[in-house]
């Protein structure tokens, strides 16, 4: 991997929400301060919003990692829960058995629990992640619980973390009774180019790098162009760029490296991907034979899904925005990915908590062959390969197209390759991830 190439102690751009990598931009510092305040003043109702991948969950995990000996904290991630399921989940977070109780009994037991904690001088907090998915019924349950008092003291503090749609929900006229209880609101904006540079240096430093200038100055605006300043996308792109540099034996991440990495990820500029025009230079590499391989997903021997590997990278994890989302608490939010180029696929564990097993052994990177079975949590994944017919004619033309959206000019750089020349240069057109693994296998 690229750790030794860049003399790193660990991966600086992992997608896990590790609090030690928390970077405090102005917005993140403000939200952190608000959360700390909310957890000192129990009669609080805090709403924090931010677009996907802006670091909300990392802030939650940072709050949970602090020493709270005088507090009990329940964290619930909302994923299409019913009101009854939400209350049951809350009971479980407090180590209470909810399954033999009716709704009214659950609410009464929660009230008694909150009163008991108050009597022993313990504060109780509810942190709801992905709160934009909350239903009006669950919001009303939260409002009801937050109204519990003893000796003029609130018994439950509430922190709601979610995407901007959460504000839209709270601001509806029929939610006025909820909005009036909100004491603090904050929003995390995407990082601007200047802050992105500081963010990357911070991650490299925490990962053990002695050279925090690995990314050149001209790479930063390009990173912003492809990621829109969203932290999760920055991590993905920077990780890929470091991998590319390792494969090509480059010691500096330049704007060209970022553009190539974005192209291999099949990313357009962030604004363009979301429907807005953006000026960006794209480097379009030669096409590679189509792959009709698929992943068969099973649980307890039952077929769950079949996913065609039609893209270069298919992600697997508990978070709903994965290509293959899995409902298992043992599975990390972003657990693993299958990287494919042409007719070759590799399984890559993303530094998950419980690991990815293949043949009952934990695997970090594994070259998949048809029939391979790997396990993630209680799920089994069967790799099935079927490569579409493909032929190459002697003397055929390979094109590399450089398209500049500023001028709308296209330049075709054409090289005539015989089959012998093609074989000699074939490695140049492979996925850099696959190059790296094959080199490590050969060595």
């Amino acid at each position: 991997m690229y750790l030794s190439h860049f003399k790193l102690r660990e991966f600086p751009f992992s997608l896990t929400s590790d609090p030690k990598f928390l970077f405090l931009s102005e917005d993140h510092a403000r939200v952190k301060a608000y959360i700390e305040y909310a957890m000192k003043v129990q009669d609080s109702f805090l709403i924090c919003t931010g677009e996907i991948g802006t670091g909300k969950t990392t802030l939650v995990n940072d709050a949970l990692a602090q020493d709270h000996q005088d507090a009990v904290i329940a964290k619930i991630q909302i994923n299409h829960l019913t009101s009854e399921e939400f209350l049951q989940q809350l009971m479980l977070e407090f180590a209470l058995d909810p399954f033999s109780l009716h709704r009214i009994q659950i609410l009464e037991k929660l009230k008694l629990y909150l009163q008991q904690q108050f009597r022993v001088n313990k504060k109780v907090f509810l942190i709801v992640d992905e709160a934009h998915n909350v239903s009006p019924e669950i919001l009303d349950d939260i409002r009801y619980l937050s109204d519990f008092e003893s000796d003029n003291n609130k018994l439950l503090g509430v922190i709601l973390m979610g995407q901007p749609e959460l504000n839209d929900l709270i601001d509806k006229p029929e939610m006025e009774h909820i909005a009036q209880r909100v004491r603090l609101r904050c929003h995390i904006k995407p990082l601007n180019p200047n802050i992105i540079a500081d963010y990357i240096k911070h991650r490299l430093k925490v990962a053990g790098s002695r050279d925090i200038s690995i990314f050149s100055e001209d790479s930063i605006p390009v990173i912003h162009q492809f990621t829109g300043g969203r932290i999760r996308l920055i991590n993905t792109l920077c990780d890929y760029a470091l991998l590319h540099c390792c494969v090509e034996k480059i010691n500096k991440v330049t704007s060209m490296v970022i553009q190539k990495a974005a192209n291999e990820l099949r990313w357009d500029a962030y604004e363009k991907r979301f429907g807005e025009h953006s000026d960006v230079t794209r480097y379009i590499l030669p096409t590679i034979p189509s792959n009709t391989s698929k992943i068969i997903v099973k649980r307890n021997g039952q077929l769950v899904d079949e996913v065609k590997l039609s893209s270069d990278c298919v992600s697997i994890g508990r978070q709903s925005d994965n290509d293959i989302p899995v409902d298992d608490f043992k599975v990390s939010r972003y657990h693993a990915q299958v990287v494919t180029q042409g007719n070759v696929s590799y399984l890559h564990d993303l530094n998950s908590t419980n690991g990815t097993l293949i043949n009952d052994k934990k695997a970090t990177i594994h070259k998949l062959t048809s029939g391979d079975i790997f396990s993630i949590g209680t799920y089994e994944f069967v790799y099935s390969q079927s490569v579409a017919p493909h032929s190459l004619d002697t003397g055929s033309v390979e094109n590399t197209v450089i398209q500049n959206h500023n001028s709308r000019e296209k330049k075709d750089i054409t090289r005539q390759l015989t089959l012998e020349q093609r074989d000699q240069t074939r490695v140049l057109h492979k996925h850099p991830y696959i190059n790296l693994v094959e080199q490590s296998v050969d060595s």
Side-chain angles (χ1 to χ4, degrees):
M1 303 296 284
Y2 61 71
L3 294 182
S4 58
H5 181 75
F6 288 107
K7 297 180 174 58
L8 296 167
R9 185 173 58 250
E10 57 186 307
F11 294 106
F13 299 106
S14 170
L15 292 180
T16 56
S17 301
D18 189 340
K20 74 181 177 187
F21 280 99
L22 177 63
F23 173 76
L24 294 178
S25 69
E26 184 177 342
D27 283 345
H28 289 85
R30 182 184 300 109
V31 173
K32 179 178 170 65
Y34 283 179
I35 291 175
E36 290 175 351
Y37 171 80
M39 299 188 77
K40 288 182 180 179
V41 182
Q42 192 173 11
D43 64 335
S44 57
F45 203 117
L46 167 64
I47 292 180
C48 174
T49 56
E51 294 184 27
I52 296 173
T54 49
K56 300 183 297 296
T57 301
T58 302
L59 283 163
V60 169
N61 290 343
D62 174 72
L64 295 175
Q66 305 303 316
D67 184 14
H68 297 292
Q69 295 183 356
D70 64 339
V72 178
I73 304 172
K75 177 194 170 187
I76 296 180
Q77 181 170 326
I78 298 295
N79 188 12
H80 308 298
L81 296 177
T82 65
S83 174
E84 183 179 0
E85 290 168 340
F86 168 76
L87 292 174
Q88 289 176 340
Q89 184 66 45
L90 184 57
M91 290 275 285
L92 291 173
E93 289 292 320
F94 292 144
L96 302 173
D97 180 12
F99 297 114
S100 60
L101 304 176
H102 298 297
R103 175 183 173 81
I104 295 177
Q105 293 172 313
I106 289 177
L107 290 171
E108 184 61 27
K109 196 161 186 177
L110 284 171
K111 182 177 181 179
L112 290 173
Y113 176 82
L114 294 174
Q115 290 172 340
Q116 289 169 357
Q117 298 306 309
F118 177 76
R119 284 195 291 268
V120 295
N121 296 317
K122 289 230 174 190
K123 301 173 182 176
V124 184
F125 298 95
L126 168 62
I127 300 178
V128 180
D129 199 7
E130 306 291 343
H132 54 277
N133 290 324
V134 74
S135 66
E137 293 77 17
I138 292 178
L139 261 182
D140 208 48
D141 287 337
I142 294 172
R143 188 271 311 162
Y144 179 75
L145 293 170
S146 71
D147 281 348
F148 289 157
E149 294 184 3
S150 181
D151 297 333
N152 296 319
N153 291 291
K154 292 289 186 181
L155 301 183
L156 180 69
V158 177
I159 300 174
L160 304 182
M161 309 285 286
Q163 294 173 27
E165 300 92 276
L166 176 59
N167 281 325
D168 297 335
L169 176 62
I170 298 294
D171 291 337
K172 288 182 177 179
E174 60 269 28
M175 291 295 164
E176 178 66 22
H177 61 298
I178 304 289
Q180 288 184 5
R181 286 166 171 78
V182 177
R183 293 189 57 172
L184 295 169
R185 281 204 197 194
C186 50
H187 181 74
I188 304 173
K189 298 188 294 293
L191 306 183
N192 63 45
N194 292 333
I195 303 300
I196 288 176
D198 294 336
Y199 171 78
I200 290 173
K201 291 176 181 177
H202 168 77
R203 302 278 303 203
L204 290 171
K205 186 176 180 180
V206 173
S209 175
R210 295 181 180 178
D211 179 12
I212 58 174
S213 61
I214 294 172
F215 287 75
S216 66
E217 288 186 12
D218 69 341
S219 71
I220 303 302
V222 186
I223 292 172
H224 182 265
Q225 198 165 30
F226 282 109
T227 65
R230 277 68 177 175
I231 287 176
R232 186 180 301 152
L233 296 181
I234 293 171
N235 288 351
T236 299
L237 186 57
C238 289
D239 179 74
Y240 208 106
L242 291 177
L243 191 58
H244 179 90
C245 286
C246 181
V247 172
E248 302 296 334
K249 295 181 172 56
I250 301 171
N251 294 321
K252 200 83 167 175
V253 179
T254 63
S255 59
M256 179 71 75
V257 169
I258 295 297
Q259 288 171 324
K260 288 184 177 180
N263 189 76
E264 287 161 0
L265 287 167
R266 298 189 179 182
W267 286 6
D268 281 305
Y270 183 87
E271 292 84 356
K272 186 176 181 181
R273 301 209 309 272
F274 287 85
E276 298 178 19
H277 171 72
S278 176
D279 293 331
V280 62
T281 301
R282 289 275 289 162
Y283 293 80
I284 305 173
L285 302 179
T287 58
I288 298 176
S290 60
N291 186 306
T292 56
S293 303
K294 62 182 179 182
I295 296 289
I296 301 170
V297 186
K298 296 182 177 182
R299 191 180 195 185
N300 299 325
Q302 300 296 315
L303 178 65
V304 175
D305 198 5
E306 290 189 6
V307 180
K308 292 183 179 180
L309 300 181
S310 55
S311 61
D312 284 348
C313 183
V314 172
S315 61
I316 305 169
R318 199 176 70 247
Q319 187 75 5
S320 60
D321 59 356
N322 283 282
D323 299 303
I324 305 179
V326 294
D327 182 16
D328 188 336
F329 72 93
K330 293 181 180 179
V331 177
S332 298
R333 289 162 58 86
Y334 299 95
H335 194 105
Q337 61 185 8
V338 176
V339 181
T340 301
Q341 186 74 359
N343 60 357
V344 182
S345 296
Y346 281 84
L347 172 66
H348 176 202
D349 182 85
L350 297 174
N351 195 28
S352 64
T353 301
N354 293 314
T356 301
L357 300 181
I358 187 158
N359 298 325
D360 297 323
K361 294 182 180 179
K362 282 190 176 182
T364 302
I365 300 176
H366 177 81
K367 183 178 180 180
L368 292 168
T369 57
S370 189
D372 273 350
I373 300 175
F374 59 94
S375 302
I376 296 177
T378 56
Y379 287 77
E380 284 190 344
F381 302 81
V382 182
Y383 175 72
S384 177
Q385 185 183 48
S386 176
V387 181
H390 178 77
S391 62
L392 295 173
D393 296 328
T394 303
S396 63
V397 176
E398 289 193 5
N399 298 319
T400 300
V401 180
I402 302 177
Q403 179 177 348
N404 189 307
H405 288 274
N406 288 324
S407 60
R408 290 292 184 262
E409 294 177 353
K410 294 183 180 179
K411 298 179 182 179
D412 291 341
I413 304 174
T414 305
R415 292 181 298 154
Q416 297 288 345
L417 296 178
T418 64
L419 284 177
E420 180 180 356
Q421 289 173 318
R422 183 189 299 276
D423 290 337
Q424 292 172 351
T425 60
R426 185 181 300 276
V427 70
L428 296 177
H429 307 307
K430 284 187 179 179
H431 196 292
Y433 197 82
I434 294 175
N435 278 347
L436 177 62
V437 179
E438 291 188 346
Q439 287 173 9
S440 65
V441 171
D442 293 341
S443 60

